[in-house]
Amino acid sequence: MKTKLIIIALLALTACKKDTISPSSIPGAICATCTESHSGYTAKDFCADPISVDTYINELKKTGSQYGQSWSCVKH
C-alpha cells in the first residue's frame, strides 16, 4: 500500500509540476515542501513564483485526495 501511495504521489507530481527553479533566480520566488500524511513521503521542494507555488499545492492536494492521500505543505 505504501508503495502504491508513493507511485501515485510521483505520478501526481509529474502531471502537475512545472519546472522547479532556483529560488534565487527569480526575485520573490518561494518554495513549498509537501508531505503526505499517510505514508510520510516528502516530495522534492517545488520552487517558483508565489502564484505557481499556490497552484502546485492546490493541484497536489486535489489530485492526491482523489487517491486517498492527505498532503500538507509549508511555504518557505
Side-chain angles (χ1 to χ4, degrees), residues 52-68:
S52 295
V53 170
D54 287 341
T55 300
Y56 168 78
I57 291 170
N58 291 335
E59 287 297 316
L60 180 63
K61 289 181 176 185
K62 179 181 171 184
T63 303
S65 69
Q66 295 172 354
Y67 296 99

Side-chain angles (χ1 to χ4, degrees), residues 22-73:
S22 167
S24 62
S25 67
I26 294 180
I30 61 172
C31 296
T33 302
C34 299
T35 302
E36 201 287 314
S37 64
H38 302 296
S39 67
Y41 173 77
T42 300
K44 182 179 175 183
D45 282 3
F46 178 81
C47 302
D49 62 272
I51 293 171
S52 295
V53 170
D54 287 341
T55 300
Y56 168 78
I57 291 170
N58 291 335
E59 287 297 316
L60 180 63
K61 289 181 176 185
K62 179 181 171 184
T63 303
S65 69
Q66 295 172 354
Y67 296 99
Q69 298 173 344
S70 178
W71 288 92
S72 61
C73 300

Side-chain angles (χ1 to χ4, degrees), residues 11-20 43-47 56:
L11 290 173
L13 290 174
T14 302
C16 69
K17 187 174 180 180
K18 295 181 179 180
D19 291 333
T20 297
K44 182 179 175 183
D45 282 3
F46 178 81
C47 302
Y56 168 78

Side-chain angles (χ1 to χ4, degrees), residues 1-6 39 67-68:
M1 181 68 167
K2 187 174 181 179
T3 302
K4 183 179 177 182
L5 286 174
I6 292 173
S39 67
Y67 296 99

